[in-house]
Each structure stands twice: as structure tokens, then as C-alpha cells.
Amino acid sequence: MGSVQGAIFCFAYILGLLSTGIGWGGWGVLGVGVGLSLIVPRYWRKAPRARIWLAAGVVGLVASLYFQVRVPYPQTTDISKLIPPGDQAGELEAKVWGQVESLPHLTRSQKAQFWLQVQRGEPIWGGDSTHKSVTGRLYVTVPLLQATGLHPGQTVEIEGSLYKPKPAANPGAFDFQKYLAQEGCFAGLKGKQVKLANQRSGWGWWRVQQQIVRSQIRWLGSPEGPLVSAMVLGGKVVDLPYDLKDSFIRVGLAAALAASGFQTSLILGVVLALTRRFSAKVQFCIGTASLVIFLGLTGLQPSVLRAALMGFGGLLALMAGRKVKPLGAMLLTAVLLLVWNPLWIWDLGFQLSFLATLGLLVTVPSLTKWLDWLPTAIAPLFAVPIAAYLWTLPIQLYAFGILSPYSILVNVITTPFISVISIGGMLSALAALIWSPAGSALAWLLKYPTQGLITIVEVFAQLPGNAYAVGTISVLTAIALYILLGLTWLRPWWRKQWWLALLIAVGLVVVPAWQARAAMFRVTLIAASRQPVMVVQEAGKTALINSGDATTANFTILPFLQKEGVNRLDWVVSTEAQKSPKTGWSPVLERLPARIIYALNQAIFQPTASPQAMQTNSHHAFASGKPGDPLPLFEDQPVQIGSSQFKLISKESAIAEFRLHNQTWIWVGNPSPDQQQTLSKPGNLRPVKVLWWSGKALLPNLIAALQPEIAIAANDTIHSTTETLLRDRGTRLYRTGKDGAIQWTPTEGFRTTLERNENSAW
């Protein structure tokens, strides 16, 4: 088989896996193969024969079917089956026995998390229990003290709450259910107590990892020690502080915390340099052993496997005395990894790793020539991050909708630090395996470079605009951007007219987003339990009514607004009556400065608003006359939000009215029966289009006074009597606890998030 035919089959296999994002996509690939077999040979004399194109179409179809076969599904004995399907709470008190699969890691909620291979489960119903032999994996979280001393291979008994993971209930939020499904897991366990069933202490790579990490932390301390270990072993092996990890991600240095091609190149470079006097076979054996050890220490992550396989291919070529074709090696590596695990085709880390490598292979030479006015040693420092940035940017915009304006500059500045720390960290790790104090001593020499790297990252992470939200782009736009990159790489004319390609790319991203926002009027009711949270988007401006708690703000509101391309809040309304340390306004305003703030309790914002937000607010006139102070929110005083209007009717009963696109909506919190009776008197309330309430009991008089056409409960369930009353009136019911966030537009009406997720591709 020639190289061209081999490349065609490789691309067909990858295209077949990508086609699983569309219904019956595999048959579409087959159709394309049939069409090409009929058309291409007629117009391309040197093209492969028709049967090659037909066979490629069959390969694509087989790839899509193979993907479906490999998609994990819960077996009949899976532990998730213990939870009754009709359980409203979705949780079950149980005891579980199984074998620990991974070392515990710290979560953002300051709990320990590890994977458990289940052997037996015992549901607890009152005093009765039934032993059942079950299988599957569990995502286990336990208090930190309960995880002390746990390591892979131990058999444990855990008592806690067994639950089924839920999909993302809000737009842009993390899909926990999908994440676990990709890991072959369909249930989680909130452990309360862990008991060791045996004291087994076998050997594993985890022992080597712990020895290295402990040795490097001993003299370096934290966060310098964990950072050095993460740059050597990968961020998934080491518990790096989340604030530092977030800063690296924000400035575009996430790759520095992921063991991949850089570390692999360093390892092979050192090995080949030390063994250059030996034969090619000896170099191959030592190099292969080094790669195997590196894989064992870092784990079988897609980016590491990609780098290791390409490195292994280079060693094979060295032993055979042949030259390596980098693009062919990368394509073959991708196919081999996707044969082993076809689900990785939708893994973002896998995609970014290969796209960054492709950028380095095809774009760095041209960029280096364009930068020939720079010193020879400096030009690659600019060319490498620019190439990686360009080739990963479209998929980052598709997934996150965010730009890191300082990414290239930060990569250039930090490259010397990262190189020194990576090389020194590997030497320290090797020394730690021989004698732990020696590893600590070598790691200590990296103290000042590591502190310098941390300082640079934190400075850039605090600069204004360090992460600029442009909004997510469509799949077609991402494909168009990659076509432009391909033309600039392959065609000399486009290479000379690179500025034209850049203008077209900017237009593809900016123009559709600007048009969509300019014509948009959309209301989003966030699925949050603590308080009502609403986002109103109109003509490029955004209003946020309440923020929920810090968890809701960080993992629901901010990701949603980021993907919508929101970099500033035009209006903020807070109906919180009491100051709470759990309020989400602090993280929201640190990332998104507000132009105008209305608050029922103005003291909430005084200590929490960021300096950037205060500076942004300073040019507005507030009631108190002090720069940065929010405007007071009074009962029965309308607040204008663009063409919409908000009015707090009762702070005691937590009732507010909204005028949205000539419709009246109302939020009803938790009024007592007496308060409901008072509100239902004639003249106090008027009929509304939408009733938004807590889902608790409402008096018939209040429902009759409101006459809602739509009722949205901010809960999983609705009080049975209230639900019957609303249904008897013909009111359409939604529940954010089951439907997810509710979005409304004048043209499309109401749409639920979970319904859209269920209809979306894998």
C-alpha cells in the first residue's frame, strides 16, 4: 500500500469517527466514498483507483459502527442499577465494597476523590439490607481525613450516599454525567466513612510518583514543589493548588502543566546524547525503556501517548537508518490511538495535542523565515507559541469562546523558565528514585526559577483582559478557520496574502457574533436552588439579576456568560436582604465589571467588589455620591433594564415583577399563607404571563389572581395540590430541577437545557 492510499484510509477512519457527531454520519461517509470513486478518477489522472475511494468509504462506515460499539453503557449488574428509577431524590444510602483504583486527589470542594472498582453493594433501607453482587466503577468523594493512607490495590468498605450523575442543567456548565460516562462510570458515591477491608500494600507506579512528589516538595514547599512535580509528571498526577492552576489556564499556559511532547523530546534528547557512542540498537532499547517509564509515571493520557508513540517511531527510524516523515508519523499515531480508544476523538485534550503538534510541524518553518530579522536563537521562541496558538485557537473558540490575548507573549517570556524547570525537575525526579535527599537538593536549586514563573503567571493573570470572551463559534465556522489555515500552509498565494486570510478569519468570528447579539432578546432562568437567578440579554447588553452562591457563580453563571461573549455586565440587580459569605457576587464582579448595580442591601458589595469593578463603576452617579457604591433598590420602584423593567414588590415575601418584551413575569419566593392571602386581594397583583416560584404550596386565591399561562418551578418537584390547580387551569409547567435552565425568546418561545442536551450529539 502506497503512502497516498494509506493516508486516505487513515483520514477515512478519522472522518468516520467524527461523523458520529451527526445522526447516520457513517453512512454519509460511505456515500462520500462512493461519490469520490465515481468522480475523482475521471478528472484526476494520477488519482488512486476507484476501489480505493470506495474502500475508504467502507472504512469510514466501519469506524462509526466501531465507535458505537465502544461507547460504554451500564451493564445489568452495574452498581447504578441499585438506585430505583423512580427515586425522586436520585440518591440511595448504601454500603459499598470494592478495590481502590487511584490515589485520592483533592477536589475544589476540599474533599478527596478516587476511583473504586466495585465488588459488592448493600442498600440500606431502615434496618433492612440486601447484599447484592454488583460491578462497575464508582466516582467516590470522601472527607480528607477519611482518605488518609488510601492507595490503589486496597479493598475498602465505604458507607455513604449513592447517586446517579446529572447532565449539565445550565448552558455552558460542566456535564458531569457525560464526563463519567466517558470514563465508563455511571454512578457516584458521597462517602461518609471509609473502612479498610485489608492492609494490602502492593507495588505500583503510584509509589514511584509519591516518592518523586514528596522528595520535590520536601525542600521546595508549596506551591513551588507541586508545580515542579506537575511539570514533570503532569497535572493529573499532582494536586496543584486550584488558584495557581486557574492562573496558568487563564494566561494560556495550560500545556505547561500537562506532560506531553516537550518532556518526551527532552527525555529522548538526553538519552540519545548520553548514548551516542553506542549502537543504534542500544539507543533504541534505552530510549524505549525511558519512554515506557515516562508513560508509567504520567499515566496513559492521550497527549503523553501521542508524544511517546511519535518518539518511538523516531527511535525505530533511527535503528532502521531511515528518515521520519513527521506528518505521516503523526497521522499514523492518531489512528493507532483512536483504534485503541475511539472515544478520544471527542476528547478535548486529544484534539488540542494533535492540533498543536500539527501547527508546530507545518507552520513553524514558515514563521521562522518570516522572523528572520530576529536573532537565530530568538526566532523559534516566537514561532513555536504562535504556531501552536493559531492551530488550537479555532477549537478553543468552539469549546470555550474565549481568547487569551497575552498567551503568545507569556509563552515567549516563560519558555526559558519552563525549560530550566522541566530539565531540572526530571533530573531531580531521577535522583529522588536513587536517594530521596538528593532529589530534594536538586529540586531546591529550582526554587527561584519556579518562583519567577509563578510571579510572571500571576501578574499576567491579574491584568485587565487576560481572558477575553468572544462567544463560542459554530462547527462550520471552526471548519472554515481550519480551511484558511490549511490554504495558508499549502498554497503560496495564500501564504503571501496571509493578511487577507487573517481578515477573513476575524470576519468569520466577529461578524456573525455581532449580528446575533445585536438582534438578540433572550431571557435565561438559571437552574439554581439558593435564590432566583435571571440573565437578560438584549442588543449586545447583559443584565444579571442575583448571582446565587459562589458555586453557582463560578461553575454556572461565569461559564455561561463566557460562552455568550460577555465581558461586562451592563446592569446588576441584587435582591439579597442579608450579607452572606457564600454570595456569588465576588467571583462574578472580579471577572465581569458591572456598569450599574442596584442592591437591596448595598453593604453586600462594599468589601467584595474587585478594584477593576470599582474603577468601572466610578464614573456613574450613585445615590450616596460615593464612587463604586451601588444604587439602592426600593420596593415598588421600577428599575429600567434596557427595554425591560424590574420591580421589587415585597422584600419580606421575596416577590418581584418583570416586564419583558411586553410580557409580565413574576417571581414568588416563600410567602406565608397569610402573606399570600393579602397579596391575592384585588388590586395587589395583576395577571401575568409567567409565574416563577419555588415550587412550594400556593393558595388557590393567589393562583387565580395571577392567572399564569406558564409556571416555572425552581425545584425538582412541585407541591402536588399546587400542581393540580395549575394543570386544571391549562398552565404549562416547567421545573428547572428536571428541565434545567429555561430560556425564552420572542421568536422561539420556551426551551429547556436538558431537552437540548438529550437531543445533541455525543
Side-chain angles (χ1 to χ4, degrees), residues 641-662:
I641 301 175
S643 65
S644 303
Q645 197 177 82
F646 170 86
K647 183 170 67 174
L648 182 64
I649 297 177
S650 172
K651 64 180 180 180
E652 293 182 1
S653 306
I655 297 178
E657 183 183 84
F658 307 87
R659 290 289 297 171
L660 303 167
H661 213 269
N662 298 322

Side-chain angles (χ1 to χ4, degrees), residues 431-446:
L433 297 179
I434 301 172
W435 188 41
S436 184
S440 300
L442 288 176
W444 178 81
L445 297 176
L446 301 174

Side-chain angles (χ1 to χ4, degrees), residues 170 173 526-534 544 546-560 582-585 587-588:
N170 292 286
I526 299 294
S529 58
R530 181 172 176 264
Q531 61 179 190
V533 179
M534 175 187 285
L544 175 61
N546 291 325
S547 65
D549 55 21
T551 300
T552 301
N554 280 313
F555 302 109
T556 299
I557 296 175
L558 286 174
F560 168 65
K582 296 182 179 180
T583 182
W585 286 120
V588 167

Side-chain angles (χ1 to χ4, degrees), residues 594-667:
R595 188 170 64 90
I596 300 177
I597 299 176
Y598 295 94
L600 183 61
N601 184 351
Q602 296 170 280
I604 290 174
F605 293 89
Q606 296 305 324
T608 57
S610 67
Q612 293 89 344
M614 292 301 160
Q615 291 174 6
T616 305
N617 292 333
S618 62
H619 64 279
H620 289 277
F622 296 100
S624 64
K626 297 179 181 179
D629 286 345
L631 290 165
L633 185 65
F634 299 110
E635 289 185 356
D636 294 323
Q637 178 185 352
V639 172
Q640 200 68 31
I641 301 175
S643 65
S644 303
Q645 197 177 82
F646 170 86
K647 183 170 67 174
L648 182 64
I649 297 177
S650 172
K651 64 180 180 180
E652 293 182 1
S653 306
I655 297 178
E657 183 183 84
F658 307 87
R659 290 289 297 171
L660 303 167
H661 213 269
N662 298 322
Q663 292 185 3
T664 302
W665 294 29
I666 193 169
W667 161 258

Side-chain angles (χ1 to χ4, degrees), residues 15-38:
L15 184 60
L17 295 180
L18 290 172
S19 71
T20 57
I22 307 173
W24 302 96
W27 295 100
V29 176
L30 177 61
V32 171
V34 173
L36 292 176
S37 68
L38 297 175

Side-chain angles (χ1 to χ4, degrees), residues 160-433:
S161 299
L162 188 67
Y163 64 91
K164 288 185 179 180
K166 296 181 179 180
N170 292 286
F174 176 66
D175 195 332
F176 187 50
Q177 185 184 75
K178 182 178 179 180
Y179 165 73
L180 291 190
Q182 290 174 332
E183 298 292 332
C185 175
F186 304 96
L189 182 67
K190 300 174 185 176
K192 301 174 184 176
Q193 188 174 8
V194 180
K195 296 180 181 178
L196 287 178
N198 65 31
Q199 294 291 338
R200 180 182 176 184
S201 183
W203 188 89
W205 286 108
W206 61 271
R207 285 191 174 276
V208 183
Q209 293 170 347
Q210 282 195 324
Q211 184 172 342
I212 293 173
V213 173
R214 288 171 179 171
S215 174
Q216 293 178 335
I217 292 178
R218 185 178 295 117
W219 287 12
L220 270 180
S222 182
E224 291 84 2
L227 178 58
V228 172
S229 300
M231 294 177 67
V232 175
L233 303 176
K236 292 187 177 181
V237 176
V238 184
D239 282 333
L240 194 64
Y242 279 102
D243 55 348
L244 182 60
K245 185 185 297 186
D246 292 340
S247 295
F248 269 78
I249 295 173
R250 197 174 299 128
V251 300
L253 280 180
L257 305 179
S260 58
F262 185 76
Q263 289 85 345
T264 305
S265 300
L266 286 177
I267 291 172
L268 290 181
V270 172
V271 168
L272 294 178
L274 295 176
T275 60
R276 62 180 180 273
R277 297 183 180 180
F278 297 95
S279 65
K281 290 184 178 180
V282 172
Q283 289 182 310
F284 172 79
C285 292
I286 296 177
T288 302
S290 302
L291 291 177
V292 170
I293 293 172
F294 183 61
L295 279 174
L297 291 174
T298 58
L300 302 182
Q301 305 169 35
S303 60
V304 182
L305 283 170
R306 188 269 310 162
L309 281 177
M310 292 188 69
F312 180 73
L315 292 173
L316 280 176
L318 176 66
M319 187 175 65
R322 302 179 62 180
K323 291 185 177 180
V324 178
K325 295 181 179 179
L327 289 177
M330 189 187 72
L331 182 60
L332 180 60
T333 298
V335 171
L336 290 175
L337 291 179
L338 291 173
V339 168
W340 185 37
N341 187 352
L343 303 183
W344 278 348
I345 192 67
W346 299 115
D347 183 90
L348 188 60
F350 178 90
Q351 296 169 352
L352 291 174
S353 176
F354 275 92
L355 288 170
T357 304
L358 178 62
L360 298 182
L361 293 177
V362 305
T363 309
V364 166
S366 299
L367 287 174
T368 304
K369 290 181 180 179
W370 289 347
L371 298 172
D372 58 0
W373 50 274
L374 290 173
T376 306
I378 296 179
L381 295 180
F382 284 89
V384 169
I386 291 174
Y389 185 78
L390 289 175
W391 282 87
T392 57
L393 183 58
I395 199 168
Q396 289 189 53
L397 292 178
Y398 170 74
F400 306 114
I402 196 166
L403 284 171
S404 299
Y406 308 131
S407 177
I408 294 175
L409 178 59
V410 172
N411 273 273
V412 171
I413 295 174
T414 58
T415 293
F417 292 88
I418 293 174
S419 301
V420 170
I421 295 170
S422 297
I423 296 173
M426 289 181 182
L427 293 176
S428 169
L430 182 61
L433 297 179

Side-chain angles (χ1 to χ4, degrees), residues 477-760:
T477 301
I479 293 173
L481 293 177
Y482 279 116
I483 290 175
L484 284 174
L485 283 170
L487 288 173
T488 308
W489 162 44
L490 293 172
R491 310 299 297 179
W493 186 88
W494 280 96
R495 201 175 302 139
K496 293 179 181 178
Q497 309 298 327
W498 61 268
W499 57 270
L500 178 60
L502 180 61
L503 286 177
I504 296 174
V506 172
L508 287 173
V509 174
V510 174
V511 174
W514 177 79
Q515 289 179 335
R517 293 185 197 121
M520 177 187 293
F521 183 92
R522 182 170 65 193
V523 178
T524 303
L525 304 183
I526 299 294
S529 58
R530 181 172 176 264
Q531 61 179 190
V533 179
M534 175 187 285
V535 178
V536 181
Q537 296 168 271
E538 179 183 6
K541 295 184 177 181
T542 305
L544 175 61
I545 301 171
N546 291 325
S547 65
D549 55 21
T551 300
T552 301
N554 280 313
F555 302 109
T556 299
I557 296 175
L558 286 174
F560 168 65
L561 295 177
Q562 173 182 299
K563 290 191 174 185
E564 291 296 315
V566 176
N567 294 286
R568 184 186 70 169
L569 294 170
D570 295 279
W571 299 277
V572 159
V573 178
S574 172
T575 63
E576 292 180 83
Q578 296 181 351
K579 184 178 178 182
S580 170
K582 296 182 179 180
T583 182
W585 286 120
S586 179
V588 167
L589 294 182
E590 284 176 1
R591 296 283 298 276
L592 301 173
R595 188 170 64 90
I596 300 177
I597 299 176
Y598 295 94
L600 183 61
N601 184 351
Q602 296 170 280
I604 290 174
F605 293 89
Q606 296 305 324
T608 57
S610 67
Q612 293 89 344
M614 292 301 160
Q615 291 174 6
T616 305
N617 292 333
S618 62
H619 64 279
H620 289 277
F622 296 100
S624 64
K626 297 179 181 179
D629 286 345
L631 290 165
L633 185 65
F634 299 110
E635 289 185 356
D636 294 323
Q637 178 185 352
V639 172
Q640 200 68 31
I641 301 175
S643 65
S644 303
Q645 197 177 82
F646 170 86
K647 183 170 67 174
L648 182 64
I649 297 177
S650 172
K651 64 180 180 180
E652 293 182 1
S653 306
I655 297 178
E657 183 183 84
F658 307 87
R659 290 289 297 171
L660 303 167
H661 213 269
N662 298 322
Q663 292 185 3
T664 302
W665 294 29
I666 193 169
W667 161 258
V668 178
N670 297 307
S672 65
D674 291 339
Q675 291 173 329
Q676 292 187 45
Q677 196 69 40
T678 303
L679 289 169
S680 59
K681 292 180 179 179
N684 287 341
L685 293 175
R686 54 184 172 180
V688 298
K689 175 77 173 181
V690 178
L691 164 64
W692 182 27
W693 93 112
S694 62
K696 296 184 179 180
L698 297 177
L699 293 180
N701 292 346
L702 183 59
I703 295 176
L706 294 175
Q707 303 177 26
E709 297 180 22
I710 307 291
I712 302 173
N715 211 325
D716 295 339
T717 59
I718 302 175
H719 188 273
S720 57
T721 304
T722 301
E723 182 176 5
T724 301
L725 289 170
L726 290 169
R727 290 192 184 279
D728 289 344
R729 296 185 61 87
T731 302
R732 187 176 179 182
L733 293 176
Y734 293 96
R735 289 172 288 184
T736 58
K738 288 195 172 181
D739 297 321
I742 310 295
Q743 292 189 319
W744 177 81
T745 61
T747 55
E748 297 181 356
F750 289 88
R751 300 183 65 188
T752 63
T753 300
L754 293 183
E755 180 184 3
R756 289 201 301 272
N757 289 345
E758 290 171 0
N759 295 332
S760 64

